[in-house]
Amino acid sequence: MSPVHVVYAHPDPGSFTREVLDAFVGGLSSYTVSDLYGSGFQPVLSAAEYARPASDPVPFDVAAEQELLDAAEVWAFVYPVWWADCPAMLKGWFDRVWTVGWAYKPGWGRVARRVVVLCTAGYTVAELEKSGVHQAMRTSMVDDRIGARASTSDFVVLGGSVLAGSDPAGWASLKADHLARAASLARSL
C-alpha cells in the first residue's frame, strides 16, 4: 500500500506548481502520482460513461485511477488556481473518476484517512479571502468534491506568485516559504 497518492494537474513542467509537487513528494517516503497532463488523461465524460449503470465496469483509465486511490491512505491534489477553481483537466478527472458506486451511492464506502489540497495562486490568501474566492474554492474542493470521502482535509493555498513580476526578491522569499511548507506538510503525513 502506498500511503499517499497525488493527483497533479499542470501542463508546464517548469511551473511553480511543479516545484510545489516536487517539494511535497520530496517529503514523502512512499507515494504514487497521477500526472494528468503528462499522462494525457482524457477529462471529458462521455454520454456512455454518464449513462453507465453502477453495476457495469468503468473504463480502464478510470479503473486505474480508482485503484491508485484505493491503495492509498492519503490523497493529495496539487494544482494551480485558474478562474477561482482547479484546471478543467482536474475537474474532468473528478467527473470521470468519482463514479456512482465508487465515490457515491449505491455501494459507496471508500474513505481516505486524510486529503491534502495544495493549490498555487497568483493572489495571496488575504486577497482571496477579502474577495470571497478563498471560501468559494474551499467549499467547492473540500466540502463538495471531497466531502465525507475523507476523515480529515487540509486546504492550503500557496499564493502571491503575482509578485514575481513586481517584487522578484519578495516572491523569491515567499516561494521558498511555500516550498518549505509543502515539504513540511508531507513529512507530517
Side-chain angles (χ1 to χ4, degrees):
M1 173 183 268
S2 171
V4 180
H5 179 64
V6 182
V7 180
Y8 169 70
H10 198 292
D12 182 0
S15 69
F16 169 55
T17 307
R18 179 58 193 230
E19 291 180 73
V20 170
L21 171 70
D22 292 343
F24 183 72
V25 299
L28 301 172
S29 59
S30 179
Y31 63 90
T32 54
V33 175
S34 291
D35 179 346
L36 302 184
Y37 284 94
S39 69
F41 182 81
Q42 173 52 257
V44 178
L45 178 70
S46 70
E49 280 181 86
Y50 175 77
R52 178 192 66 82
S55 58
D56 285 1
V58 296
F60 175 78
D61 61 338
V62 171
E65 292 297 310
Q66 290 173 347
E67 288 170 13
L68 288 165
L69 293 165
D70 282 338
E73 298 174 26
V74 175
W75 303 338
F77 297 90
V78 179
Y79 61 90
V81 173
W82 290 346
W83 299 108
D85 201 356
C86 62
M89 176 68 85
L90 181 55
K91 171 60 173 73
W93 180 92
F94 280 107
D95 289 347
R96 293 193 63 223
V97 175
W98 260 211
T99 60
V100 64
W102 188 86
Y104 62 97
K105 304 283 186 209
W108 171 68
R110 178 66 173 105
V111 176
R113 177 176 58 84
R114 188 169 174 184
V115 165
V116 175
V117 176
L118 287 167
C119 50
T120 60
Y123 293 111
T124 65
V125 171
E127 291 167 314
L128 293 170
E129 286 175 341
K130 182 177 178 183
S131 68
V133 170
H134 184 271
Q135 184 58 38
M137 292 186 319
R138 187 187 186 297
T139 298
S140 292
M141 181 56 88
V142 176
D143 297 343
D144 183 41
R145 293 180 186 132
I146 304 305
R149 293 173 190 91
S151 297
T152 62
S153 298
D154 297 285
F155 184 74
V156 178
V157 178
L158 305 172
S161 63
V162 72
L163 294 173
S166 62
D167 182 4
W171 169 239
S173 176
L174 183 57
K175 180 179 172 179
D177 290 345
H178 286 335
L179 296 175
R181 183 175 181 194
S184 176
L185 182 57
R187 287 189 299 272
S188 77
L189 300 175

